Every structure is written in structure tokens, then in C-alpha cells.
Amino acid sequence: MRAPVGDIESLRSLEAALDGRSASVAFQRDDKGTQTDFEARFVPERGEALRVHSVLVLVRDITAVRQHERDAHQRAVLAEQLIGIVSHDLRNLLAGIVLSASNLEWRGRRSGASETPEGKQIVADTDRILMYAARMKRLVGELVDVTSMAAGQLSVTTARNDALRAVMLEGAGKLPGGTITCPIHRWA
């Protein structure tokens, strides 16, 4: 087995060892079509007055380690692709839920049914459905963000925050009348 003694990286590692620092270099060997990965570690040995008097070179086969790293990378790429597919499908389903709940709420308000006790309950239920859908949308977004961070591809965009809506809905449930109105939204 011959290490690439003349390459720059090996010479720098040897130089570092002669200066008293451990260093390592990785290289590959192709033996009849089989590629083997190796790591050579240069370890300085000190003698009198702590001067480096020799350098040990330890060589080990790291083929299994490299294969494990390649497999882990491939699994991470596949997981990222799967999360992308699932999050896209979940967003589509959530859009259908939000559309249906919004339509139901609009029809209930338009027909005047929201003035009856049952109608008020339907409007409150659709508001909760919309709030839960918004939470699910944020969770899916956070899942995508975590996956993007793991892949080193996180992007940040600003969006409307539904925290006010959640606080208002929580507060509306604790009020005697159960309704909070503001110029833009009505929460019950």
C-alpha cells in the first residue's frame, strides 16, 4: 500500500507533526476495481527538552466509516424529499379544510343562522376549525424549516401571525358574552 507521499496535503500534515501538532490526511487506494478509503494520522513523538524527534504514521482503513457517511447523507436527502412531499400534500388538504370551514361560516352568517344558539355554536366551531388549521399550517412550516436547516437551506419569509387570533379566541371563550369584535375580525 502506498500513500500519496508527494501530495501537498500529506506534506502539510507531516510539517504540522514536525512542528509538534497531530495531523491527518485521507486518501484512497484502488486495488483491482475495489476502492478502499484510508486515513493516515501523523503523531509527533517528543524526546528531551520536548523536541520532536520522530513522527509516527498510523494508517487505518476508513472505508466502512465513509460508506456509513454516504448512507447517512442519502437517508437525509430521502427524508428531506419525503418531508417536502408530505408537507405539500398536507398544505393542500389544509387548504381544502380552510376553504370548507370558511364557506360554512360565511353561509351561516349570510343566512342569519348565526343569530340562533345552534348557529352561534356552528360559527364558533368553524372559527376553531380555522384556528386549528392555522396551527397545523404553522407546524407543517416548522417541520419544513427544521428539515431545511438540517440540509443547510433555510430561508426566512415574513407572514401574518395568527397569535392575536388565538389570544382573542381564548379570551372570547372566557367572556360572559363570548364575542370580541375589532375593525378587521370578529372572534367568538
Side-chain angles (χ1 to χ4, degrees), residues 9-183:
E9 190 177 356
S10 296
L11 291 175
R12 285 186 182 144
S13 297
L14 179 57
E15 224 174 70
L18 289 171
D19 287 340
R21 300 182 315 270
S22 293
S24 63
V25 63
F27 62 95
Q28 296 175 335
R29 181 169 186 254
D30 191 356
D31 186 26
K32 299 177 185 172
T34 302
Q35 186 174 327
T36 307
D37 295 306
F38 291 97
E39 176 187 53
R41 181 165 292 282
F42 296 82
V43 182
E45 280 193 321
R46 298 178 189 276
E48 295 177 22
L50 298 176
R51 290 186 56 215
V52 175
H53 66 82
S54 62
V55 175
L56 294 174
V57 180
L58 306 168
V59 179
R60 69 181 182 127
D61 183 344
I62 58 170
T63 305
V65 171
R66 293 288 191 243
Q67 184 61 44
H68 179 72
E69 290 169 352
R70 286 188 290 269
D71 292 347
H73 177 72
Q74 185 177 10
R75 283 191 304 274
V77 168
L78 290 174
E80 183 180 342
Q81 290 172 348
L82 178 64
I83 299 249
I85 292 167
V86 169
S87 66
H88 179 74
D89 289 348
L90 284 175
R91 286 178 179 159
N92 286 341
L93 292 170
L94 280 172
I97 291 169
V98 168
L99 180 63
S100 296
S102 296
N103 188 28
L104 182 63
E105 182 181 39
W106 177 77
R107 285 187 357 214
R109 289 184 196 278
R110 186 171 151 229
S111 69
S114 63
E115 302 307 318
T116 68
E118 184 181 355
K120 287 180 182 179
Q121 185 61 46
I122 290 172
V123 169
D125 289 347
T126 55
D127 279 344
R128 270 194 295 285
I129 290 169
L130 292 170
M131 181 183 69
Y132 296 148
R135 284 183 186 171
M136 287 177 65
K137 182 179 178 185
R138 280 194 309 273
L139 286 173
V140 169
E142 289 172 7
L143 182 61
V144 171
D145 289 348
V146 167
T147 306
S148 297
M149 284 190 306
Q153 301 172 345
L154 178 65
S155 64
V156 178
T157 56
T158 58
R160 182 177 159 258
N161 189 343
D162 288 329
L164 175 63
R165 180 177 171 80
V167 168
M168 298 299 260
L169 281 171
E170 184 70 24
K174 294 180 179 170
L175 290 175
T179 301
I180 296 176
T181 305
C182 77

